[in-house]
Amino acid sequence: MMASAKRINSSAERNRDPILQVLKNNIPLDIPIRALEIASGSGTHVGYLAEHLPNVTWQPSDTDSINLPSLAAYKQEKSNILDPVVIDVSGHFTMDDPNFDIILNINMIHISPWTATLGLFSNSGQILKPGGMLITYGPYSLDGVLEPESNQNFDQSLRGMNEEWGIRDIRDLEGEAARERLELIKVVDMPANNKMLIFQRL
């Protein structure tokens, strides 16, 4: 029954390798690492990352309990994935064992209300170790400029579906993160007009 609950996200399959490479280039690979994934969805990313980053213990989470069976199925396959939990990042939450080295958030910021992004920063500021990193992935504008045209069309489509959604500007994210003692230390260009942002907890 557990195997049948496992779902695979096709877009996650397309971007998982580039995401893995950025993680390999920016996190320690030779010491135990604790990572929390916010908005894990089906678990396609965490399942793949757990396989290729065996030194990392992954805590998957999602705001929607409908994703828990699929996440649990991935957990059954990998010893370095913990039982999934429900987390609504837009509000304050507590963890039994905080002090994470890494918080990973893939493709959430543009398809959620701004309050979710503010919660991501505020909670990360509380549960990341000093020196720990919040790493996000998705499309972003920079200094008010959104390129290319396909991202502009995507942004309009998102806002048409939900007026609280939309592609965010890196400068706005940088400013809000700074309020929570999170410094933007790296912006990595990714395939398909996406970027990875790496914030470090001061």
Side-chain angles (χ1 to χ4, degrees):
M1 188 175 87
M2 193 65 75
S4 66
K6 178 180 174 181
R7 292 184 287 111
I8 298 173
N9 181 293
S10 58
S11 64
E13 284 194 309
R14 289 193 295 273
N15 61 35
R16 64 187 187 180
D17 274 314
I19 289 172
L20 172 64
Q21 289 309 311
V22 172
L23 294 179
K24 282 186 171 181
N25 290 339
N26 289 280
I27 70 172
L29 302 177
D30 55 351
I31 59 173
I33 294 290
R34 296 180 65 242
L36 169 65
E37 186 183 24
I38 295 291
S40 299
S42 66
T44 304
H45 283 119
V46 75
Y48 188 74
L49 298 174
E51 178 180 356
H52 293 276
L53 297 169
N55 66 308
V56 181
T57 298
W58 293 91
Q59 174 62 72
S61 73
D62 203 81
T63 187
D64 194 340
S65 60
I66 198 171
N67 288 316
L68 294 188
S70 183
L71 289 169
Y74 282 97
K75 186 259 183 189
Q76 290 296 110
E77 298 178 350
K78 299 288 182 294
S79 62
N80 57 331
I81 300 179
L82 303 177
D83 288 325
V85 294
V86 173
I87 289 178
D88 178 1
V89 76
S90 63
H92 175 71
F93 63 88
T94 58
M95 306 290 294
D96 290 338
D97 187 8
N99 297 315
F100 285 93
D101 301 287
I102 304 292
I103 295 177
L104 180 65
N105 181 239
I106 298 171
N107 278 337
M108 180 202 83
I109 288 175
H110 59 289
I111 52 172
S112 59
W114 182 238
T115 52
T117 297
L118 296 180
L120 177 66
F121 289 138
S122 63
N123 284 295
S124 296
Q126 294 296 317
I127 64 176
L128 274 176
K129 293 179 179 177
M133 290 181 287
L134 166 64
I135 303 174
T136 72
Y137 169 94
Y140 305 97
S141 61
L142 178 61
D143 294 322
V145 178
L146 179 58
E147 295 178 329
E149 185 179 355
S150 59
N151 270 356
Q152 297 171 14
N153 294 336
F154 182 41
D155 182 54
Q156 291 177 353
S157 172
L158 290 172
R159 295 178 190 275
M161 287 186 282
N162 188 322
E163 61 184 13
E164 293 191 277
W165 294 2
I167 295 176
R168 315 300 183 185
D169 195 272
I170 291 175
R171 297 300 175 224
D172 293 335
L173 299 174
E174 185 177 21
E176 294 296 340
R179 300 175 191 268
E180 309 296 340
R181 295 173 294 174
L182 297 165
E183 180 183 9
L184 180 63
I185 60 170
K186 189 176 290 189
V187 178
V188 183
D189 288 325
M190 303 292 284
N193 306 306
N194 291 298
K195 299 180 189 297
M196 288 186 78
L197 310 182
I198 302 179
F199 301 87
Q200 188 163 46
R201 169 71 161 77
L202 299 177

